[in-house]
Amino acid sequence: MSELSRVRSASDLRRMSPRRLRALAEEIRSFLVTSVSRTGGHLGPNLGVVELTIAMHRVFDSPRDRMVFDTGHQAYVHKILTGRRDFERLRKRGGLSGYPSRAESDHDVVENSHASTALSWADGIAKGNQLAGHGDRHVVAVIGDGALTGGMAWEALNNIAEGQDRRLVIIVNDNGRSYAPTIGGLARYLDALRTDRHYEKVLDWGKRTLQHGGVPGQITYDALHGLKQGVKDVLRPQGIFEGFGIKYVGPVDGHDIGAMEAALISAKSYGGPVIVHAITEKGRGYVPAESDVVDRFHAVGVIHPETGLPVAPSRFGWTSVFAEEIVSIARSRSDVVGVTAAMLAPVGLAPLAEEFPERVFDVGIAEQHALTSAAGMALAGLHPVIALYATFLNRGFDQLLMDVALHRAGVTIVLDRAGLTGDDGASHNGMWDMALLRLVPSLRLAAPRDEATLREALRDAVVVRDAPTVIRYPKGALPSPIPAIQRTGVVDVLARTPGDGESRALVVGVGSFAGTAIDVGRRLAQQGIGTTVVDPRWVLPVPAELIELAEGHDLVVTIEDGLVPNGVGAAIRDALVSAGSSVPVQTHGIPLAFLSHATRNELIEDFGLRAQDVARDAAAAIAALEGAHAEP
């Protein structure tokens, strides 16, 4: 019988010997590789926290003691140890979420997979425990050194230090990486600890040798010992944390269950906030991950478990086009620089960094800083191009509004993974951006439909020097080219489909839904309804040419990969009203809701965004208009 099959609760873990615990850790790693290779998911981070998580569950009593995982992509082991081992449908509808999920288990707390939030959650839970009289309950927050590059984590530490009688344990999972290697001053400070441990050996030698050297030796030793704290402040991070007034334990080998357990027991018994500094290796125990210098298999698709190679090679995608085009632009524009928030390779800036390393700035997980720093760069004569996942723009909205837009800074923001991304669930669908960006004065937003329009939009954007520009595109492979049959200003006419008489419906396909819009036009034509199908390309502000086109039709139908409330369709409706037009607008997009994990195609079907769904609704609206006109 395997060790993993024996574990049904934390009490089973506590009865295991050190030998059995080591065997359990290896079984969990094997389970992770086998399972995640079939489904895709966050493999590297979870391979790195196996022993750490086992120790947590041996020392603390979840869910009575709350365990909070920052970003949550390192919570697979936690799921396994709390009874969730069916990974067959991981990140698929009806299966386990790729992040903690309250719907799955009482052991899960934070579902939001945006980084640097766990310490604030833990602070709040600890305050609640204290006021409720639950003085025997602990809160345990696991945060990576990468997430500590986010300013919100340090805001939380500042407050945690004020509650010296609150039972809060912070585990810093220090593997030198967020997605890629961690950057910045904190990273260098922690690196010093990983690479230089000689000072303890020197002081131990001094104690043994000098104390046996009579009075002169004793005086010399006392002087060295007095310097010890200063030396530790240089080489050890406790100088930072104890400066906050938070007790520090470590560093601890995060892959030694006994050492981790002893450190956590010590922290638990302290009765106040404690930081336990664990040194771990991302991708531990799986050779393909350990050999991956880019991100240690941070997130993988379906792979061959023996080799780590993809089962199906990925097609040339949107991110690759951006990566090529921004390098081409940078070769002729020395003022163009790239900015990333700890996502250099995933957002396509790695090739730019390779060719122009001095012109790419990785600010860590700090989108707020990225935007305001970019405003400063623009003032200094540069044109920053900030590449983010669309969902992470939410974190820097105030800076975009008040620092970039208010100061009319020429900053370009490129949003990858915009719209429905599906598998990662509510916090990773990039569906909020267009509705939010409607609120930003002077901002221009492009939603390219294919490779050619993405390249064109990027070149147009970096020319703008007096306002922010945004380009958004979806996750995954590129569609086939979608040529225009006519261009009117920034609006591309993609198709005109004949019906019984003149064109009745203007079908507006935004970005990735341009192809769907063409299919809608074809389906309406089959029902005798003539259409004009257009792609505005630059969707915000609403182009005047689009309003002129709309006024020549009976109905405007919009399809977008963003929120329906306050989205592009709503913006077109408002612009028509402002222009004194009475043409009705039928909007199709994503409802205002948090979406459970599912595939993009499943969500598209759920929300009636297939061509047949949109065409059916449009035909019904045209019929209703005809009925209204026919009434005496």
Side-chain angles (χ1 to χ4, degrees):
M1 188 175 184
S2 71
E3 298 296 348
L4 182 55
S5 65
R6 300 173 191 270
V7 178
R8 295 177 177 83
S9 68
S11 60
D12 296 319
L13 284 176
R14 296 181 191 117
R15 288 192 291 267
M16 286 185 167
S17 67
R19 179 188 60 78
R20 290 179 60 197
L21 289 170
R22 289 192 295 271
L24 173 65
E26 292 311 307
E27 285 184 29
I28 290 174
R29 281 199 173 86
S30 177
F31 176 88
L32 287 170
V33 171
T34 301
S35 299
V36 179
S37 66
R38 296 192 188 112
T39 62
H42 289 96
L43 182 56
N46 288 285
L47 293 172
V49 297
V50 176
E51 292 86 358
L52 184 155
T53 310
I54 290 172
M56 284 172 57
H57 278 279
R58 278 172 59 85
V59 173
F60 296 97
D61 181 20
S62 175
R64 181 180 176 82
D65 295 326
R66 288 298 192 179
M67 297 182 179
V68 184
F69 292 84
D70 201 278
T71 72
H73 61 232
Q74 55 195 337
Y76 290 7
V77 184
H78 167 74
K79 287 176 184 269
I80 293 168
L81 296 178
T82 52
R84 289 166 283 172
R85 296 181 201 161
D86 184 0
F87 274 49
E88 288 298 316
R89 293 189 57 78
L90 177 69
R91 300 168 69 243
K92 294 179 172 58
R93 174 168 284 174
L96 292 178
S97 167
Y99 295 96
S101 168
R102 293 183 184 180
E104 288 178 8
S105 175
D106 290 340
H107 294 277
D108 290 359
V109 178
V110 181
E111 302 183 17
N112 180 3
S113 50
H114 288 191
S116 309
T117 64
L119 301 189
S120 295
W121 272 97
D123 177 57
I125 297 169
K127 287 172 178 172
N129 284 345
Q130 185 180 51
L131 290 177
H134 300 315
D136 58 340
R137 297 185 184 182
H138 288 78
V139 186
V140 186
V142 181
I143 184 167
D145 57 303
L148 282 174
T149 62
M152 186 174 172
W154 294 90
E155 295 173 20
L157 283 171
N158 186 51
N159 281 269
I160 288 169
E162 290 298 303
Q164 287 297 311
D165 54 349
R166 297 187 191 118
R167 298 178 179 269
L168 198 164
V169 176
I170 299 166
I171 301 175
V172 176
N173 174 30
D174 180 7
N175 59 23
R177 289 173 170 267
S178 48
Y179 195 108
T182 308
I183 57 86
L186 176 67
R188 288 193 297 273
Y189 202 47
L190 296 179
D191 278 344
L193 173 63
R194 296 189 204 98
T195 59
D196 192 341
R197 306 191 181 187
H198 299 304
Y199 77 96
E200 289 284 7
K201 294 178 181 178
V202 170
L203 290 169
D204 287 343
W205 170 85
K207 183 175 182 179
R208 291 193 309 271
T209 304
L210 297 176
Q211 283 188 331
H212 291 90
V215 174
Q218 182 66 48
I219 293 172
T220 304
Y221 172 74
D222 289 343
L224 281 176
H225 188 70
L227 289 173
K228 181 175 180 180
Q229 185 62 46
V231 175
K232 288 168 70 176
D233 283 348
V234 173
L235 294 180
R236 298 185 67 172
Q238 71 182 51
I240 293 179
F241 299 122
E242 290 186 348
F244 274 90
I246 302 175
K247 186 172 179 59
Y248 171 90
V249 176
V252 184
D253 181 352
H255 300 297
D256 183 331
I257 296 174
M260 275 301 307
E261 188 172 342
L264 292 177
I265 290 171
S266 174
K268 182 179 180 180
S269 65
Y270 180 66
V274 180
I275 287 175
V276 176
H277 183 187
I279 307 296
T280 65
E281 298 174 17
K282 192 173 184 179
R284 169 92 170 195
Y286 182 43
V287 172
E290 292 177 336
S291 305
D292 180 24
V293 297
V294 175
D295 65 8
R296 299 287 178 89
F297 279 31
H298 178 88
V300 298
V302 179
I303 59 174
H304 294 286
E306 299 84 4
T307 64
L309 296 173
V311 169
S314 58
R315 292 168 54 195
F316 193 69
W318 293 92
T319 308
S320 300
V321 174
F322 164 70
E324 278 190 355
E325 194 64 23
I326 193 61
V327 170
S328 177
I329 290 170
R331 287 171 183 157
S332 60
R333 285 275 303 273
S334 61
D335 62 320
V336 169
V337 298
V339 182
T340 177
M343 303 287 279
L344 186 71
V347 297
L349 283 176
L352 182 65
E354 184 174 350
E355 185 159 341
F356 301 105
E358 75 285 357
R359 289 165 58 187
V360 175
F361 304 97
D362 186 342
V363 302
I365 303 177
E367 292 83 1
Q368 293 173 307
H369 169 67
L371 284 151
T372 301
S373 178
M377 293 181 205
L379 178 66
L382 301 176
H383 190 105
V385 177
I386 307 174
L388 305 169
Y389 281 9
T391 182
F392 297 143
L393 178 64
N394 304 358
R395 298 159 63 96
F397 178 77
D398 181 66
Q399 288 69 32
L400 171 60
L401 182 67
M402 292 299 174
D403 294 324
V404 178
L406 175 63
H407 295 88
R408 303 193 67 82
V411 174
T412 295
I413 303 167
V414 176
L415 299 180
D416 203 322
R417 274 74 163 174
L420 295 170
T421 54
D423 297 340
D424 282 331
S427 63
H428 266 48
N429 284 298
M431 54 193 258
W432 315 96
D433 57 305
M434 292 192 290
L436 281 172
L437 296 177
R438 272 195 69 193
L439 304 175
V440 181
S442 77
L443 180 141
R444 297 180 61 199
L445 184 145
R449 65 181 181 271
D450 58 10
E451 178 178 346
T453 53
L454 171 53
R455 293 183 188 275
E456 183 180 16
L458 188 58
R459 288 192 173 271
D460 289 345
V462 297
V463 173
V464 178
R465 297 183 179 276
D466 61 351
T469 52
V470 178
I471 302 168
R472 53 111 65 189
Y473 47 79
K475 178 181 180 180
L478 285 160
S480 299
I482 305 173
I485 61 173
Q486 179 185 343
R487 175 165 290 184
T488 304
V490 299
V491 178
D492 282 353
V493 178
L494 305 182
R496 288 193 176 92
T497 57
D500 298 334
E502 61 186 26
S503 180
R504 304 288 306 280
L506 178 70
V507 183
V508 182
V510 175
S512 61
F513 276 96
T516 302
I518 293 173
D519 194 5
V520 170
R522 180 180 59 80
R523 290 172 182 270
L524 290 175
Q526 291 172 349
Q527 300 177 59
I529 301 171
T531 63
T532 304
V533 181
V534 300
D535 167 22
R537 295 191 305 119
W538 286 91
V539 298
L540 295 177
V542 176
E545 299 88 353
L546 185 61
I547 300 305
E548 293 172 9
L549 277 169
E551 289 177 338
H553 295 76
D554 298 323
L555 175 70
V556 175
V557 179
T558 66
I559 320 167
E560 62 189 290
D561 205 3
L563 292 178
V564 169
N566 205 47
V568 172
I572 293 171
R573 180 189 293 119
D574 292 347
L576 283 166
V577 170
S578 296
S581 174
S582 59
V583 179
V585 179
Q586 184 182 83
T587 59
H588 299 265
I590 303 171
L592 186 60
F594 293 112
L595 312 181
S596 297
H597 58 282
T599 67
R600 176 180 167 87
N601 286 338
E602 287 171 335
L603 294 171
I604 285 174
E605 182 175 356
D606 288 348
F607 304 143
L609 296 177
R610 298 174 302 175
Q612 59 264 42
D613 303 321
V614 176
R616 182 187 62 244
D617 292 347
I622 291 287
L625 290 171
E626 290 174 344
H629 291 153
E631 293 178 2

